[in-house]
Amino acid sequence: MIDITHKPTTLREATATALVTVSNSATIAAVIGKQVPKGDVLESARVAALFGVKKTHELIPDCHPLPIEHAACTFEVGAMEIVVTMRVRTIYRTGVEVEAMHGASVAALTIYDMLKPIDKGVVIAGIRLLEKKGGKSDWKDRFDTPVKAAVLVISDGVAGGKKEDKAGAAIVERLAQLGVEVPVQAVCADEPEQIANRVNAWSTEGLDLILTTGGTGLSPRDRTPEAIAPLMDREVPGIMEAARSYGQERMPWAMMSRGIAGMIGRTLVITLPGSTRGAQETMDALFPFVLHVVKVQEHAFRHGM
C-alpha cells in the first residue's frame, strides 16, 4: 500500500451506483411483493452491501483499512431494473470511492443471486462511481495570476556557511509543486533585527506569501516569533494550531514549536520550523488549504476593500 501518513485527515464522501436489469416484469413484481423464494431481495442486498463496504480492504490488496463512519444503501426499482445507490462517508486520509463501489457491487451480486432461480435473464449492467469529494483537490483554489512567495532561511549555521540549507530548498520545491512562484529567497542569521527588516521589506513588494524556516524552537537564539509578531497587523492562530496538531500526531516534540502566522497588509507570513522534516510536515499540514487566504485577499482587492 502507498504511504498516506503525510495526508491530512478530512471528511471524505463517495457515492456509487450499480444497475441490475431483469428479463421479465414479473421478476420486479416478485421483488416488490417480497415473493422471491430466497427471501426479501432488497433487504438482503442492503445488509450485504454494508458488509461489503466494511470488508473492502480485506479483498482489494492496496485498499487501506479505514473507519467507515456512515454507509447507506438505497434502491430505485423501475419497470425492468433495480438501481443500487451506495453512499459512504469517513473522516480519514484517503477516499472511500472503492468502498462505495464495492458495496454497490456486492448488493448487485446479491440481487443477481437471489433472482437467478426465477429469472435467467438477470444482468448486472454496470457499476460506476457517481461522485467523490473531500480530497485535497476539492480545497484547491484557482488564481487569476500565479501566487508569489518569498522564502527566508533563518539559521546562524547556514548564514555563516557552516551548514547546508535543506529546509529552505524543500519548501521551495514544495511550493513549485503547488504552482507557487518564488521570485525571492534569502538567508539570514538568528538576529531579530535582520529577520524583521527582511520580512518587513518583502511585505511591501506585493508578495502573497512569506515563509520563514528556523528560529521557532526554544534555544536561546530562536527569536523568529519575537521578531515577526510586532510586524503583523493580524495574527491567524488557527494556522499554526492546525500545523502543531498535525505534527503532534507524528512527532511528540511538535508541541514545542512556537511558530506563528498572520497578515502584514495583504501578505500572509508563516514561520516554519528549521528542521527539514518539520518544515515539510508543516507544509503537508497547511497546503494547499492555506492558499485560500490569498484568494480572500484577491477577492477583497477586486471589491476595493
Side-chain angles (χ1 to χ4, degrees):
M1 293 186 288
I2 63 170
D3 185 1
I4 59 171
T5 57
H6 63 287
K7 291 187 172 184
T9 300
T10 57
L11 173 62
R12 311 278 188 142
E13 302 180 36
T15 303
T17 63
L19 173 63
V20 182
T21 62
V22 302
S23 64
N24 193 326
S25 60
T27 304
I28 294 295
V31 170
I32 295 172
K34 300 183 179 181
Q35 300 299 313
V36 175
K38 285 192 174 184
D40 187 329
V41 174
L42 299 184
E43 185 58 20
S44 296
R46 188 186 71 80
V47 173
L50 298 180
F51 280 131
V53 169
K54 294 177 180 178
K55 294 284 187 181
T56 302
H57 72 278
E58 295 181 14
L59 300 172
I60 309 298
D62 282 331
C63 267
H64 295 80
L66 48 76
I68 302 298
E69 295 176 280
H70 175 71
C73 183
T74 58
F75 305 95
E76 183 179 341
V77 181
M80 295 292 285
E81 76 281 334
I82 300 172
V83 178
V84 180
T85 300
M86 187 78 230
R87 185 181 185 216
V88 182
R89 304 179 83 199
T90 187
I91 298 176
Y92 199 59
R93 298 187 178 90
T94 189
V96 285
E97 61 268 31
V98 176
E99 282 75 7
M101 287 190 287
H102 190 224
S105 68
V106 171
L109 284 167
T110 301
I111 294 170
Y112 178 94
D113 178 61
M114 296 185 73
L115 295 184
K116 67 182 181 181
I118 62 172
D119 188 338
K120 300 303 180 186
V122 177
V123 173
I124 298 176
I127 298 165
R128 70 187 183 95
L129 178 66
L130 198 63
E131 180 186 37
K132 61 172 284 189
K133 55 186 177 180
K136 270 190 173 182
S137 57
D138 289 343
W139 301 100
K140 191 172 184 178
D141 286 295
R142 300 182 185 280
F143 298 95
D144 296 335
T145 58
V147 176
K148 288 184 169 54
V151 175
L152 177 62
V153 177
I154 301 167
S155 166
D156 289 337
V158 176
K162 299 177 181 176
K163 183 179 173 184
E164 180 186 358
D165 167 45
K166 294 182 179 178
I171 292 169
V172 172
E173 180 182 358
R174 193 63 60 89
L175 289 173
Q177 293 169 356
L178 293 163
V180 176
E181 296 182 356
V182 184
V184 285
Q185 303 176 49
V187 176
C188 75
D190 287 283
E191 294 292 345
E193 187 174 350
Q194 290 183 28
I195 298 168
N197 289 341
R198 175 59 64 184
V199 171
N200 199 33
W202 278 347
S203 70
T204 64
E205 295 178 8
L207 295 165
D208 301 297
L209 191 62
I210 297 174
L211 299 181
T212 71
T213 173
T216 61
L218 289 166
S219 76
R221 295 280 291 167
D222 287 334
R223 307 294 292 173
T224 299
E226 288 78 5
I228 293 177
L231 307 177
M232 289 181 173
D233 300 309
R234 289 182 293 177
E235 191 175 352
V236 189
I239 291 177
M240 296 315 293
E241 287 170 6
R244 279 187 279 271
S245 175
Y246 178 93
Q248 194 64 31
E249 292 181 342
R250 293 157 179 81
M251 165 61 74
W253 296 341
M255 69 175 76
M256 290 177 272
S257 175
R258 301 187 304 116
I260 60 173
M263 306 299 298
I264 303 177
R266 294 181 57 236
T267 304
L268 174 64
V269 182
I270 303 175
T271 61
L272 307 179
S275 73
T276 305
R277 177 179 171 180
Q280 288 173 327
E281 288 186 348
T282 304
M283 294 288 288
D284 288 338
L286 301 182
F287 288 84
F289 320 110
V290 78
L291 291 176
H292 188 64
V293 173
V294 179
K295 193 68 179 178
V296 171
Q297 298 305 309
E298 181 183 280
H299 178 81
F301 178 76
R302 281 181 181 172
H303 292 78
M305 299 167 63

